[in-house]
Amino acid sequence: MEVLVGGNDPVSENGRVRVDGRAGLDDTGAPDEMAELARRARTVLASGRTALLTLPCERARGWVGMIDDGGEPLLMARTDGRIARAAHGGRRSWIEVPGHLGERLILTGTLRVVPGPTTQILRRLADLGRTIDPIGAVSEGLAMLAVSVDDVVLCLPPTGQPEQVRRWSSSTVGRRIDLSTYAFAEPDLIDAYAPELIEHLNTRHADQMRQLVSSFGGRHTADQDLAGAYVSSLDRCGINLWRVDATGAHPVRILFDEPLGEPRSLGRELRSLLERAARDAT
């Protein structure tokens, strides 16, 4: 997707980030807090599939497809399009990435062209555990672009809002993140891919989820009264489900044998749990 339309820049003339039309930045924070903000910023970037790209010199703004590459956003664009031409010219750019918990990550830097075939770049990212759309569907005539990040701002949603209804807020104050701290931070890939993983488990592995809650979720009623199981959330250490039976819905927390390192390790942990459940049933 390559759609750019004229729009306001997310950065003011003095270089300060404007959050919904107002300049607001907080550069304070203890080292531990800065490290946590950097980790969360990296996680938001890893979770992103689309981003709002602004090219101030072109006075253009629009949504584009995006992939995370070690803290740098990679964008796919037509080789003969407006974005690619801006990258060849080393244009200044801003990328705004929405997080699934209402965060807003703003990355500033020079837009550049990444050398090499697009399919090869995508395969490299897939080998690192990134979730990549089918590589075979990539057509000719596309260029991979990157933003050389030199400024990072993370805007957090207001506290007290239910996670499922969080949105970018006009009252949000951006927190500028130290570049070196951002560079050395590691994203929580399980958190980043949690919505996709949860949907996959609920739609493609419903029977296995029923088996897990039947074995590890207590015995509220007889197994034949188990109506279903629904994954509500997951993290590196375990999975949260609802066991639905004749007496209602009951929360179930199942711990993994080992903390997950990246999304592909979820399948291994679930197989281990299912094998244990099968042994216990005999």
Side-chain angles (χ1 to χ4, degrees):
M1 176 175 61
E2 182 174 0
V3 180
L4 288 179
V5 296
N8 295 326
D9 300 337
V11 177
S12 62
E13 292 180 358
N14 62 4
R16 292 173 64 81
V17 174
R18 288 206 310 263
V19 181
D20 292 333
R22 297 185 303 147
L25 276 178
D26 183 357
D27 296 318
T28 61
D32 290 345
E33 182 184 9
M34 181 62 67
E36 174 58 24
L37 286 171
R39 184 201 65 80
R40 190 164 178 180
R42 290 291 307 274
T43 299
V44 170
L45 183 62
S47 70
R49 299 296 176 268
T50 58
L52 185 60
L53 170 66
T54 299
L55 296 169
C57 293
E58 305 279 346
R59 298 198 61 79
R61 195 180 193 190
W63 289 92
V64 295
M66 190 211 72
I67 305 170
D68 170 39
D69 185 16
E72 282 192 341
L74 297 188
L75 315 175
M76 290 181 61
R78 298 193 307 271
T79 55
D80 59 350
R82 189 174 182 180
I83 301 176
R85 289 196 300 271
H88 282 289
R91 295 296 190 181
R92 193 86 174 144
S93 64
W94 288 266
I95 292 286
E96 300 175 72
V97 185
H100 59 258
L101 295 181
E103 307 97 331
R104 178 185 181 188
L105 177 63
I106 305 174
L107 303 175
T108 309
T110 302
L111 191 64
R112 71 180 196 277
V113 178
V114 179
T118 299
T119 53
Q120 184 178 14
I121 296 170
L122 292 176
R123 288 194 180 94
R124 175 177 62 81
L125 294 173
D127 289 341
L128 295 175
R130 271 50 173 176
T131 298
I132 307 295
D133 289 334
I135 296 173
V138 177
S139 61
E140 297 295 329
L142 292 177
M144 187 68 77
L145 315 177
V147 176
S148 300
V149 177
D150 57 29
D151 192 53
V152 181
V153 172
L154 178 64
C155 302
L156 300 176
T159 58
Q161 276 189 322
E163 292 182 356
Q164 64 268 26
V165 297
R166 288 181 176 177
R167 298 291 186 271
W168 288 0
S169 170
S170 60
S171 61
T172 299
V173 174
R175 298 290 305 274
R176 174 168 278 128
I177 298 175
D178 175 71
L179 272 180
S180 60
T181 305
Y182 175 80
F184 285 105
E186 289 291 336
D188 184 338
L189 293 180
I190 304 305
D191 184 15
Y193 294 133
E196 297 169 14
L197 295 172
I198 291 170
E199 181 182 6
H200 179 77
L201 292 176
N202 284 327
T203 57
R204 302 291 296 274
H205 299 282
D207 290 341
Q208 288 90 337
M209 297 304 102
R210 287 167 56 95
Q211 184 178 349
L212 287 180
V213 298
S214 178
S215 298
F216 300 105
R219 303 251 177 209
H220 302 284
T221 62
D223 281 346
Q224 59 266 29
D225 292 329
L226 178 63
Y230 177 81
V231 180
S232 57
S233 63
L234 65 88
D235 53 51
R236 296 179 64 250
C237 297
I239 184 170
N240 295 314
L241 306 96
W242 288 100
R243 172 191 170 107
V244 182
D245 57 33
T247 64
H250 309 275
V252 176
R253 170 72 171 175
I254 301 176
L255 297 177
F256 300 133
D257 294 332
E258 297 180 0
L260 303 180
E262 48 93 9
R264 290 176 296 189
S265 59
L266 175 62
R268 181 185 65 246
E269 290 299 318
L270 290 178
R271 284 192 295 271
S272 176
L273 289 171
L274 290 168
E275 290 170 0
R276 190 195 314 169
R279 290 195 302 268
D280 293 344
T282 58

